């Protein structure tokens, strides 16, 4: 919705005005699909057509956890602003 986009833009502007860095963690189109091999629940298929590896959800959660580990701070007002 438009208000959530406005809130993100406002938060980014406020962070930059306060001298904070902004880190965007984007998975691009990785989780936008809804197919057996693509999207939040999707998994790649092996040569026999069986699902293997991590789901899109698991990959996203690992990427976000890595971002919070690398850039996170003790509270929401310090450190860089993380946009996920």
């Amino acid at each position: 919705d438009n208000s959530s986009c406005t809130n993100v833009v406002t938060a980014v502007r406020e962070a930059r005005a306060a001298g904070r860095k902004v880190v965007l963690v984007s998975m691009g189109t990785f989780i936008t699909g809804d197919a057996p091999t693509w999207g939040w629940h999707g998994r790649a298929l092996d040569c026999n057509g069986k699902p293997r590896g991590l789901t899109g959800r698991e990959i996203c959660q690992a990427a976000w956890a890595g971002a919070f580990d690398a850039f996170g701070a003790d509270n929401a007002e310090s450190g860089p602003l993380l946009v996920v």
Side-chain angles (χ1 to χ4, degrees), residues 8-26:
V8 171
V9 171
T10 299
V12 168
R13 287 182 177 155
E14 288 173 356
R16 295 298 297 142
R20 293 174 62 197
K21 294 185 186 250
V22 176
V23 178
L24 172 63
V25 183
S26 172

Side-chain angles (χ1 to χ4, degrees), residues 23-26 60-73 80 82-84:
V23 178
L24 172 63
V25 183
S26 172
C60 289
Q61 289 174 335
W64 295 328
F68 282 104
D69 285 347
F71 301 108
L82 295 175
V83 179
V84 296

Side-chain angles (χ1 to χ4, degrees), residues 17-83:
R20 293 174 62 197
K21 294 185 186 250
V22 176
V23 178
L24 172 63
V25 183
S26 172
M27 300 305 288
T29 59
F30 187 75
I31 59 172
T32 60
D34 190 22
T37 59
W38 194 254
W40 194 247
H41 298 288
R43 289 175 51 192
L45 301 178
D46 68 13
C47 61
N48 296 315
K50 294 185 180 188
R52 66 173 179 85
L54 301 172
T55 65
R57 178 191 62 160
E58 293 166 328
I59 293 170
C60 289
Q61 289 174 335
W64 295 328
F68 282 104
D69 285 347
F71 301 108
D74 291 335
N75 59 63
E77 289 76 33
S78 63
L81 173 67
L82 295 175
V83 179

